[in-house]
Amino acid sequence: MRAFNTANNKKGDDDYFDRLLSYFQSQFYDRILQMIPIRKSVIFLRTDKNDYVIKGYHTNSRLRLQEAFTATLKKEGFKKTYLFLTSPVRDQLFFEGTYFGCMEYIPPNKNVFSFHTHKNRQEGMELLEQFHQTTASFESRYRTLLPKGLLIEKWTERLNVFSNNLPYLGYFINEPFISEMMSWAKWSLEGMENNRVCFQKEPTVILHGDVAHHNFLRDTEGQLHLIDFDLISIGPASFDYLQYANRILPFIDWSFERLSSLKQIKKYLHEEAFVFALAYPADIFREWNRMIREKSYTDHTKYKQVMDLTISQFYARKKFIDHLKELLD
């Protein structure tokens, strides 16, 4: 019935999932056939009637917010996502301090979505634009429920954490690289701050906040869906587009020309704040800060990925940033 035994599972994990499976069996109307952890607090559940995704939250209010938000999205016309369901279960799912929501399962396409092709990058951008157009119509209802998207403040803090990690970073990265990356960040933040009005004059929407490739899901029919709204906030759409640009630039060889071929981004390239923001090495800082915090540098695969992001792409990124500086001079 269960499918969560792997060579790396600890006995404690198995014991927990045994208890969780037993609890779900008592709460679902349908008979459970299979339970597979996808990642922390996200579980695939197969019953004799349907498939579901079960997701855990630390508080009931966070779960209720996600239920309300996805329901509003669907009601306002954004159909390419999931809904939370209450009908399969007898009562609110609460187990050992975690509140669980039961979501529709979207069967994935055998071809996993990635940013490798122009078609996918364009399609992901268009879906994100549809999401913003929909949330613009109801963001005022969520202003008291969601935090404000404060990109400059967030990136300033990320730089501070990276700076505090310098004693550790020196073991992995040679000094000229570190100094250069920090100079990019400081130049970017100063330019964003001096042109902050560009962001302030933009209409506000509900931001997705995590536009990584794994949050775009293509179903078996070929339709692309946007998932995982844990980091939603209120702010200008350009904040999501900046994150999207940062995610796709490694796949387009840090080409300004190829980036500007996306019409949703092209319209922002005359805004100085946006161009300054493109220079900020958000991905490098995010991954090194996380790796040092979690001490995951002993994981060879993760370490290689972060080093590739940092060093292998360094000169292509530097050329891109030098081009941004030329544009702004």
Side-chain angles (χ1 to χ4, degrees):
M1 181 182 292
R2 63 183 184 147
F4 43 80
N5 277 317
T6 69
N8 294 323
N9 267 132
K10 296 177 182 177
K11 181 71 163 62
D13 293 338
D14 276 355
D15 288 345
Y16 171 77
F17 282 111
D18 278 332
R19 298 194 304 276
L20 185 61
L21 173 59
S22 178
Y23 172 72
F24 284 159
Q25 285 174 326
S26 72
Q27 293 300 310
F28 275 77
Y29 290 110
D30 305 342
R31 186 165 64 92
I32 296 174
L33 304 177
Q34 194 176 36
M35 187 171 104
I36 306 174
I38 300 171
R39 56 183 186 273
K40 188 177 180 181
S41 297
V42 182
I43 299 160
F44 169 78
L45 204 67
R46 171 162 288 159
T47 74
D48 55 359
K49 301 282 178 61
N50 268 307
D51 294 338
Y52 305 103
V53 171
I54 313 299
K55 188 167 184 176
Y57 295 88
H58 293 304
T59 66
N60 194 36
S61 59
R62 288 184 68 85
L63 170 57
R64 295 302 182 205
L65 176 62
Q66 291 294 311
E67 290 173 340
F69 177 71
T70 50
T72 306
L73 261 185
K74 290 265 191 176
K75 184 180 177 183
E76 296 295 330
F78 189 84
K79 306 296 184 185
K80 295 176 181 177
T81 192
Y82 49 73
L83 268 180
F84 283 83
L85 309 168
T86 56
S87 56
V89 295
R90 302 177 194 280
D91 206 348
Q92 161 79 65
L93 296 173
F94 178 72
F95 181 75
E96 295 188 7
T98 301
Y99 295 87
F100 288 94
C102 178
M103 297 184 289
E104 291 177 305
Y105 175 69
I106 302 171
N109 198 289
K110 62 180 180 181
N111 296 315
V112 177
F113 179 89
S114 76
F115 291 138
H116 283 89
T117 68
H118 176 75
K119 181 180 181 294
N120 275 4
R121 292 189 294 267
Q122 184 65 58
E123 197 175 355
M125 182 62 87
E126 288 170 0
L127 185 62
L128 187 58
E129 184 180 36
Q130 291 170 29
F131 172 78
H132 291 151
Q133 288 169 346
T134 304
T135 64
S137 68
F138 65 84
E139 60 87 18
S140 60
R141 287 181 253 163
Y142 280 81
R143 282 181 195 168
T144 59
L145 301 172
L146 297 178
K148 285 186 177 179
L150 302 172
L151 189 64
I152 297 174
E153 292 77 7
K154 174 184 172 184
W155 281 0
T156 299
E157 174 59 21
R158 191 173 287 183
L159 171 60
N160 290 338
V161 174
F162 188 79
S163 300
N164 291 336
N165 285 330
L166 287 178
Y168 304 97
L169 291 164
Y171 288 104
F172 307 107
I173 315 170
N174 290 335
E175 169 49 38
F177 293 106
I178 295 175
S179 294
E180 183 89 7
M181 290 185 295
M182 291 184 67
S183 73
W184 294 339
K186 291 172 183 175
W187 178 81
S188 172
L189 288 168
E190 184 180 357
M192 290 170 70
E193 184 61 58
N194 291 339
N195 295 276
R196 187 188 280 264
V197 67
C198 292
F199 297 129
Q200 293 171 338
K201 70 182 183 183
E202 244 190 287
T204 51
V205 299
I206 296 178
L207 301 168
H208 183 278
D210 188 10
V211 293
H213 69 91
H214 53 256
N215 287 329
F216 293 88
L217 175 64
R218 194 178 301 284
D219 67 18
T220 50
E221 302 298 316
Q223 288 289 313
L224 193 62
H225 299 257
L226 188 60
I227 62 172
D228 194 351
F229 305 103
D230 287 356
L231 297 181
I232 51 176
S233 61
I234 304 284
S238 57
F239 286 4
D240 267 349
Y241 294 146
L242 280 166
Q243 191 185 87
Y244 196 89
N246 189 253
R247 295 281 187 174
I248 68 172
L249 275 163
F251 296 95
I252 58 175
D253 302 319
W254 293 89
S255 165
F256 184 85
E257 184 180 357
R258 292 171 71 183
L259 182 66
S260 61
S261 71
L262 295 168
K263 64 181 178 66
Q264 292 85 355
I265 285 180
K266 185 177 183 178
K267 68 182 181 182
Y268 287 104
L269 295 179
H270 66 280
E271 297 284 0
E272 289 194 359
F274 192 90
V275 178
F276 273 108
L278 285 171
Y280 187 89
D283 50 348
I284 292 175
F285 289 0
R286 179 187 65 240
E287 296 305 321
W288 277 109
N289 290 346
R290 177 187 295 154
M291 196 154 73
I292 289 171
R293 183 177 68 248
E294 297 175 354
K295 298 184 172 66
S296 56
Y297 35 76
T298 55
D299 183 322
H300 179 72
T301 303
K302 284 184 181 178
Y303 175 73
K304 185 177 182 304
Q305 287 171 346
V306 179
M307 285 299 289
D308 178 63
L309 187 72
T310 309
I311 305 301
S312 300
Q313 298 176 31
F314 181 86
Y315 292 105
R317 190 191 297 251
K318 177 175 167 51
K319 184 179 177 182
F320 172 77
I321 293 172
D322 286 345
H323 180 66
L324 298 181
K325 290 180 177 181
E326 287 174 13
L327 288 175
L328 291 165
D329 279 346

